[in-house]
Amino acid sequence: MALRTADEYKQGLKDGRRVFLMGKKVEDVTCDPYIKVGVETAAFDFLMAHDPAMREKAIMADPETGEDISAYFELPDYPGHVAKRHELIKAACYYAQGAIPFVKDVGSDIINGLTVAARLMGNKDYLTRINDYRSYCARNDISIAGAVTDVKGDRLKGPSEQKTPDYYLRVVDETDDSIVVSGAKAHITAGPYCDEVLVIPCRNLTQADKANAVSFAIPLNAPGITQICRPNFRYEDIHHFPTSHPKRGHLESLLIFDNVSVPKERVFMLGEWQFAQYVAYAFSAFHRYTAVTYKIPILEYMTGLGLLAAEANGIAKASHIKERTIDMINYTETTKALAKAASMDPEDFGGSKLFVPNRLTSNMAKLHFAANFHEFVRNIQDIAGGLLVTQPTYQDWKHEELNPYLEKYMGGAGEYTAEKRLKLMSMLHHMVASDFAGWHEVCTIHAEGSFAAQRMMLYAEAPMEMYKEKARKVIGI
Ligand SMILES: Cc1cc2nc3c(=O)[nH]c(=O)nc-3n(C[C@H](O)[C@H](O)[C@H](O)COP(=O)(O)OP(=O)(O)OC[C@H]3O[C@@H](n4cnc5c(N)ncnc54)[C@H](O)[C@@H]3O)c2cc1C
């Protein structure tokens, strides 16, 4: 089959999956006004693959059949793969008008992490299975959600120490050909509109947690799977001013496995608790970098919004606004520079002969991004003014009696007519002052691992001995 069209992807989602939103079962995720935002964002992955202008970045030849397949599924077995993927993900985001299509990157990051783990375990069965799964996904152009985060209960306790075993996904039964799993994974991006989900443990485990040491892939319409998701913003957004393209974004789900049967050819880890942390580390080495990469187009776009707000309010040259502008530029360009630096210094992960971005630098990039995003937003809010939250809606603008007032009072500096300024303020509201903006701020902190995860990696990866040796030499001890 190889590359699917966006329409084929959407048709594939009409498969009887159990998805709930605001207490109601969603019959067709491609038509739901909220979930459609995510479906249409994800569809860019499929549109891109058929666009000749994107071919060089988006497509590769299947190593066995020579057929066109998505470049997301390339085996990262040469150092240059890191920079190539950095460019692919950025290009996909620019193509999707600033949003990340997402439905192949997290899945392929997990496939890469599991390939590393199988190589390092020296487990030939797992290696064959994950290689077969990579080919299956590439040849059928599968969209994949990544399910890592367990619901976790008491964070300081491991799975077997919790008051109930339900806080971590686990194996509840096993036959010669299959396993049965129960549990829930939280915050699963694009879960409602991916074809399959790939599951791995989220933490280190002990022998007592053996049942939690499980990794597998399964179609999201499998019996026993239920997803509960919450709305973000509507596809048909009637309050904001229309833009040249509908707004893009994603939804997450609470993904529940109620005695779900998984065939063993789709099981990539079963009981090897000693390797659980390794799988989580290997995945995050790939994924944290993917995450940093897809922040770049968003930050460039948001910096642009801040600059336009300064222009519209006539304050671009005011000295304190110049300071805000410099801070925004410093933030955006430092994130970009760190991300680029990580791709220029790839590492062979644990001697697996698979290459990941430099882990110290990519964690620094993610930490820099997450730690300073709120201040970046604050700068834009300061520049834009109170209209961010008090602006009349598009319905008011269209209202016969109200429009003349808005025309009269809402204009800005220079060429900013009332319509132009309100249009800009409407987008700014969406990005820095709406429910979605709150989602974005929390996403920045927690998605792809919260601050502590990056700080731990900095501590683990920093060249401490080198620093000390430099000091010893100077002192002469
Ligand atoms: C928008 C969004 C999208 C996401 N998408 C996905 C996805 O597609 N797939 C997926 O698997 N996950 C996804 N995640 C989950 C994300 O990886 C987690 O949110 C993140 O790892 C933090 O976990 P948590 O939300 O359970 O918060 P917690 O881990 O509960 O963190 C809350 C606080 O507790 C602290 N803490 C946690 N554990 C400990 C401990 N043992 N000791 C001391 N302090 C601790 C943390 O440092 C933090 O300060 C997504 C999250 C968001 C917000």
Side-chain angles (χ1 to χ4, degrees), residues 416-464:
Y416 278 85
T417 59
E419 181 171 16
K420 221 171 163 182
R421 181 157 176 258
L422 282 176
K423 210 171 167 186
L424 169 63
M425 287 294 166
S426 173
M427 182 52 89
L428 278 158
H429 171 265
H430 176 67
M431 292 305 291
V432 299
S434 64
D435 279 5
F436 169 68
W439 171 93
H440 206 178
E441 289 193 341
V442 174
C443 177
T444 299
I445 296 175
H446 285 295
E448 305 101 20
S450 33
F451 295 130
Q454 288 118 58
R455 298 185 76 84
M456 269 159 45
M457 288 306 294
L458 250 65
Y459 194 79
E461 294 296 328
M464 307 275 201

Side-chain angles (χ1 to χ4, degrees), residues 73-192:
F73 297 112
E74 184 174 31
L75 186 70
D77 60 353
Y78 61 99
H81 177 267
V82 173
K84 195 172 157 197
R85 191 168 165 101
H86 182 64
E87 293 306 321
L88 165 65
I89 292 168
K90 269 196 306 184
C93 295
Y94 291 127
Y95 196 72
Q97 293 132 19
I100 165 93
F102 198 81
V103 294
K104 290 185 190 149
D105 65 27
V106 67
S108 51
D109 282 335
I110 297 185
I111 293 176
N112 290 339
L114 284 167
T115 312
V116 166
R119 284 190 181 189
L120 297 181
M121 274 189 224
N123 187 316
K124 288 202 177 115
D125 282 348
Y126 290 157
L127 194 55
T128 306
R129 287 180 198 172
I130 194 66
N131 288 341
D132 288 351
Y133 188 65
R134 184 189 295 273
S135 300
Y136 160 80
C137 290
R139 288 173 194 167
N140 294 280
D141 210 19
I142 297 292
S143 57
I144 315 160
V148 183
T149 312
D150 288 275
V151 291
K152 295 188 293 198
D154 183 334
R155 270 60 181 156
L156 289 190
K157 292 182 174 159
S160 53
E161 301 162 324
Q162 300 285 340
K163 63 183 174 209
T164 152
D166 295 326
Y167 288 160
Y168 283 82
L169 184 128
R170 68 195 191 283
V171 178
V172 291
D173 202 1
E174 181 180 351
T175 67
D176 287 347
D177 310 325
S178 65
I179 58 170
V180 178
V181 294
S182 274
K185 293 276 187 179
H187 330 299
I188 305 309
T189 303

Side-chain angles (χ1 to χ4, degrees), residues 35 37 59 89 91 99 145 164 197 234 284 290 304 328 343 391-392 397 400 411 477:
I35 302 179
V37 174
I59 303 299
I89 292 168
T164 152
V197 63
R234 281 177 66 96
S284 66
T290 295
M328 291 192 304
S343 78
Q391 59 191 259
W397 177 257
E400 213 177 303
I477 54 173

